Amino acid sequence: QVQLVESGGGLVQAGGSLRLSCAASGSIFSINAMGWYRQAPGKQRELVAAHLGGGSASYADSVKGRFTISRDNAKNTVYLQMNSLKPEDTAVYYCNFRLLSPFGGASDLWGQGTQVTVSS
């Protein structure tokens, strides 16, 4: 069974940087898209950044210019480099893989979440 394992969260001061990683274990046929979401207390989960299979990336307006998503297909790993962090970036961050089935269709796989806390 495929699982996603996240790492890299923690506590950082405003203006600092963190790098999140999310690696898939198990047999994977194909990954269409990889992304990062976050959920702050009392708020809905929101998309932070996504990296599509064709190589394009998209970002939430709130993180453009500060966060960078990248992927290593050989390692089935996605990264999120977060720079110039702000207190409002504090949230639990979840990675997401959109997996393609050899029989058609797709499914979503989620990581367990990693806490990012930015102090002012």
Side-chain angles (χ1 to χ4, degrees):
Q1 186 173 354
V2 181
Q3 292 184 326
L4 299 183
V5 179
E6 300 180 29
S7 61
L11 174 64
V12 64
Q13 288 188 334
S17 299
L18 284 173
R19 188 189 193 213
L20 305 183
S21 299
C22 175
S25 62
S27 178
I28 295 177
F29 172 69
S30 179
I31 302 172
N32 176 236
M34 299 177 177
W36 289 94
Y37 291 71
R38 67 185 180 188
Q39 187 166 18
K43 296 187 177 181
Q44 289 188 335
R45 189 174 297 189
E46 62 173 353
L47 177 65
V48 176
H51 197 294
L52 305 180
S56 61
S58 62
Y59 297 92
D61 288 342
S62 59
V63 306
K64 282 181 181 177
R66 300 188 297 122
F67 290 11
T68 302
I69 187 171
S70 60
R71 62 192 280 178
D72 185 332
N73 290 327
K75 296 181 179 180
N76 288 333
T77 300
V78 64
Y79 306 96
L80 186 67
Q81 178 66 44
M82 305 184 293
N83 298 328
S84 302
L85 283 161
K86 304 175 181 180
E88 50 263 43
D89 294 319
T90 296
V92 178
Y93 284 70
Y94 299 89
C95 61
N96 169 270
F97 283 16
R98 175 62 60 90
L99 303 179
L100 300 179
S101 168
F103 309 107
S107 60
D108 284 317
L109 189 63
W110 292 91
Q112 81 279 9
T114 186
Q115 178 70 45
V116 171
T117 303
V118 184
S119 63
S120 57

